[in-house]
Amino acid sequence: IDVTINGACSSANVVARLPTEGKILRIANWSDTQRLSGALVELNDGSLLEYESSPNTSVQGSIAPSHAESLLEPCPWIAGLHSAESTAGQACNKRIVVGVSRRARLYFGERILSDACSSFILTPTHQFLSYATLGSRSQLRFIPLSALADYDPLMGSEENVVTLGEGYEPRNVERGSRVVAILAEAPTTVLQLPRGNLEGVYPRALVLPFVMHLIEKGRYGEAMEVMRRQKIDLNLFCDMDPFNFLDGGVASFIAQVDKIDYLNLFISCLFDGDITEWKYRVPAWFHRSTNNDTEESWKKKDNFDFPTKVNQVCIKMREVMMQFESDGKTSTGTEVNGDHYLLPILSTFAKQSPPKLEDALSMIRRNALSKGSPCSDNKSPLLGERAQSSIQYLAFLADYPLLFDTALGMYDFDLARAVARNSQMDPKGYLPLLKRLRSLPESMAKYEVDIRLERFESALTHLVRSVVTASDTTEASVDLSTEVMSKDDQHFERCLSFIEKHKLHRLGLVLYENNVTCRNKILVSLGERLLSEGDGQAAISIFCSVDPPEIDGAKKAAQICGDWQSFFALLDESIAKDSEESKSSQRMYFADEIANEIAAGMNAVCGKRQGYERAARILLDYSKDVLGAVDMLIKAEMWSEGRRIARLHGRNDLVKKCIDAAVSYGLKCIDDFDNRAIEFKETNKRYQKCLVLRKDAKRKEAAEGLLDAVADDTESTFSMASNLSNTSLRSSMSGSSVGSVTSVSSVISAGDVSTFSMISEEDVMKHKSKYNKLGGGKKKKKKK
């Protein structure tokens, strides 16, 4: 039928007639926008036909059976796709036909997708089958078209449920709502409510894929508008394809998003992490571009360092925005002035981890000085409106006290005053501080600032470079004797005190590298500090590195840490110029002292036996005390070595002493072994008595009918032995105690479990029953 409409007149002409096998229930065009020359035909029995028109208008078209699977029952409302796309994004010849029956059942072939469906619509643009359900909780649901294309009737039901259910969460709608249309160029669904009015909604199932397609195509400006209205996390811009976004997407993003507030919003929303992993997952059916570069970027996404994402994006955006300002125009040709992107650049400085507030304040100062803010001659350009507004914006991203300390740490007191001007700080607090700092020499002013900010390394550097004057402020812990010291000595003593207080010896050695005297004093101070911290070996090295070496300090460190080899080496070096008699006496004195300390274990650097051995060697080498050395070896139970040393020095009396000590130790060991053997035998006898008592108790119980069967006597012998403590065997299991146990009519009994228990003949803990002695002799009274 050819229908012609011309103004108020219309006409219908029958062009051709095509016979069918039955009455036609429904004719519907293919939902594919490319297929305009054909139609889907449904007969009353539910069978499907396809009509194909001919390009030649003089030749009639043809009707043939459809390749789509027939619906389970006739459906008055149908829709179909002529060529669907699979999950891999490849076109296939599979037909997709969906219909709703008169009983509100939604069919896809012979499968029921919903048993309470009011309406549906196929949207090839958004790649979804959307339908509204009926019932007390009506919902707008979505199924990806690619999932329908991959549907296989031969698959198990569970696999098909997973395939068809991989969409976004449904949206609740008013009961009785019907789907009227879904806009092709916007993620908008038009619903007709039961009252007849129309309402447009933006379901997440449509919004998220729509935004993802815009980002993938590089249409960042449109995506930003949609994401702001729908409150979608802006991290999606980067997380979809981070490598592509950083390579060329940042420049396009900044050029398309021309509103400064939008750029600031994007930067403030950044965080380290991949939002597509947990919040906005990219489904497997999402249509990806066929561009090879894009596919490679998707594969490389796993290699991206997301913990540093914020820093990477901020650095790249800052570079691009500064380049645009330098060129005077964006990549799209839009003209920009020199400070157009000032606020977003400040946002990138504040957003980085850690924040680069110094760079941000430097940019504000540089911009204020270059622009020449309209201030009077006696005021700083930093107090101008432009600079103050920039500082206020930066304070929105960071606290004012932190900004003030940062400006103070830049040693720019005008900038610090400009930051504090709009803060909640009391002028009585910061104005006198800034005035006093301005009055000090430069190095001392920087020193005071570093002390305030606890930047002690920088403070020491400025203190060393400063010149001490009578007006300089000194720390309360430093007490200088100005009567015997020059100004340079006073200044160094102050620096040394500061070094010791804050443990900055390494930096002090660098600063005083060319001053040998000061460097030696710092090394001595470092050695004393290491010695107080218990690091004696390092202290020895430090004391020895002094020029000339600090022998006394090194000997003290060696004595404390138990390094007797280094101690005596240093001792010989310190007494090298003394007489031989003096050397010998000092060696003997220190040998006795060190040997006694090591033998007593005062240094706790070795075991007891090793300590005696070392003490013996010290006495033998440095004091020639053979008797003391042999005594130490005997205490260390090293009789062979003691005998060897005694023989070497011709001391037969000491040889006999070593032999007697060894024999005495052997006899002691034999006596101890004999005592243990006797104790073991006594324990075995007590254990045998316990076994006898146990057997008697079990026989008695079996005779009285308390046990149904007599278990094997040897069933739990070893388990009983394991639970019997040695303490009870030694303390309470004597012969008299066994007799006392039997005399009071008590027995040691044990069941199948390996534990002992004392049970008397009259057990008060048993309940009365006709099956035991307590209640067996009594009869139960009958109720009247």
Side-chain angles (χ1 to χ4, degrees), residues 507-563:
L507 180 59
L509 292 173
V510 175
L511 296 175
Y512 286 98
E513 184 178 5
N514 299 325
N515 193 328
V516 178
T517 304
C518 297
R519 187 176 182 275
N520 289 339
K521 291 182 179 180
I522 296 175
L523 285 173
V524 172
S525 175
L526 176 59
E528 292 175 353
R529 193 197 90 190
L530 293 173
L531 200 57
S532 64
E533 293 176 354
D535 193 355
Q537 292 293 339
I540 294 174
S541 302
I542 295 297
F543 283 124
C544 291
S545 64
V546 179
D547 186 20
E550 182 66 24
I551 301 299
D552 293 337
K555 288 194 301 182
K556 181 181 179 182
Q559 187 174 2
I560 291 177
C561 68
D563 188 359

Side-chain angles (χ1 to χ4, degrees), residues 14-33:
V14 178
V15 178
R17 296 177 182 270
L18 297 175
T20 59
E21 298 180 357
K23 291 185 178 181
I24 295 176
L25 176 63
R26 188 76 172 179
I27 299 178
N29 289 332
W30 295 106
S31 297
D32 309 56
T33 56

Side-chain angles (χ1 to χ4, degrees), residues 734-747:
S734 61
S736 59
S737 63
V738 173
S740 62
V741 171
T742 56
S743 62
V744 296
S745 302
S746 298
V747 296

Side-chain angles (χ1 to χ4, degrees), residues 686 689-690 693 728-744 746 748 758:
R686 293 170 188 157
K689 293 180 181 180
C690 290
L693 292 174
S728 61
L729 286 173
R730 294 175 181 174
S731 61
S732 60
M733 290 295 272
S734 61
S736 59
S737 63
V738 173
S740 62
V741 171
T742 56
S743 62
V744 296
S746 298
I748 301 177
M758 301 297 294

Side-chain angles (χ1 to χ4, degrees), residues 70-100:
S70 300
L71 302 176
L72 197 59
E73 62 176 305
C75 297
W77 300 276
I78 62 172
L81 292 178
H82 188 274
S83 298
E85 291 186 354
S86 63
T87 304
Q90 299 176 352
C92 57
N93 294 325
K94 185 175 182 179
R95 308 290 195 269
I96 292 180
V97 179
V98 182
V100 175

Side-chain angles (χ1 to χ4, degrees), residues 163-432:
T163 301
L164 297 179
E166 192 187 1
Y168 285 98
E169 59 183 12
R171 179 189 176 103
N172 294 330
V173 295
E174 188 175 345
R175 183 176 180 181
S177 300
R178 298 177 63 86
V179 181
V180 176
I182 295 179
L183 304 184
E185 298 299 328
T188 306
T189 301
V190 181
L191 300 176
Q192 183 182 19
L193 304 184
R195 298 177 296 278
N197 56 314
L198 300 179
E199 180 179 340
V201 297
Y202 295 84
R204 285 280 172 168
L206 298 182
V207 172
L208 290 176
F210 181 78
V211 169
M212 289 179 182
H213 279 296
L214 292 178
I215 295 175
E216 187 180 11
K217 295 176 182 178
R219 298 160 61 180
Y220 298 110
E222 300 176 31
M224 174 63 79
E225 293 291 342
V226 176
M227 294 171 74
R228 279 191 68 256
R229 288 197 302 266
Q230 302 304 323
K231 298 180 181 179
I232 298 177
D233 198 318
L234 301 183
N235 282 273
L236 192 62
F237 279 111
C238 177
D239 297 345
M240 281 285 294
D241 191 352
F243 286 108
N244 182 49
F245 183 76
L246 291 176
D247 290 342
V250 171
S252 179
F253 174 80
I254 296 174
Q256 294 182 33
V257 181
D258 53 353
K259 294 184 178 180
I260 299 300
D261 291 341
Y262 290 2
L263 294 176
N264 292 331
L265 179 62
F266 170 72
I267 296 170
S268 63
C269 290
L270 289 174
F271 69 91
D272 292 327
D274 186 3
I275 203 172
T276 61
E277 290 292 330
W278 56 279
K279 190 174 183 180
Y280 302 141
R281 293 184 179 274
V282 181
W285 47 264
F286 179 72
H287 174 64
R288 296 184 174 93
S289 174
T290 57
N291 190 343
N292 293 331
D293 295 339
T294 305
E295 292 182 0
E296 290 297 327
S297 298
W298 276 89
K299 293 178 182 178
K300 294 179 181 178
K301 182 180 178 180
D302 294 336
N303 298 328
F304 185 76
D305 188 13
F306 278 99
T308 61
K309 182 187 77 173
V310 174
N311 287 351
Q312 294 186 56
V313 174
C314 289
I315 293 172
K316 186 64 177 180
M317 289 189 67
R318 184 164 60 247
E319 292 176 355
V320 172
M321 288 186 288
M322 294 178 71
Q323 184 64 38
F324 285 170
E325 290 182 348
S326 177
D327 297 340
K329 60 181 180 180
T330 64
S331 58
T332 58
T334 305
E335 295 184 359
V336 294
N337 53 28
D339 57 351
H340 180 74
Y341 294 111
L342 176 61
L343 297 185
I345 292 175
L346 296 179
S347 298
T348 59
F349 282 125
K351 189 64 178 180
Q352 280 189 245
S353 179
K356 293 189 174 182
L357 298 181
E358 287 191 11
D359 296 336
L361 291 174
S362 298
M363 174 167 284
I364 294 174
R365 178 179 57 188
R366 185 170 56 252
N367 183 70
L369 296 177
S370 63
K371 295 299 180 181
S373 302
C375 294
S376 58
D377 296 336
N378 58 348
K379 288 187 179 180
S380 172
L382 293 170
L383 301 179
E385 181 179 357
R386 179 68 176 176
Q388 288 296 303
S389 62
S390 301
I391 293 174
Q392 290 176 3
Y393 176 76
L394 189 61
F396 175 74
L397 305 175
D399 295 335
Y400 265 116
L402 180 59
L403 280 180
F404 179 77
D405 290 342
T406 303
L408 204 61
M410 297 169 64
Y411 313 116
D412 190 336
F413 305 132
D414 291 335
L415 181 60
R417 181 184 177 185
V419 171
R421 184 182 182 185
N422 291 323
S423 67
Q424 301 296 325
M425 298 178 64
D426 187 4
K428 296 181 180 180
Y430 70 85
L431 287 179

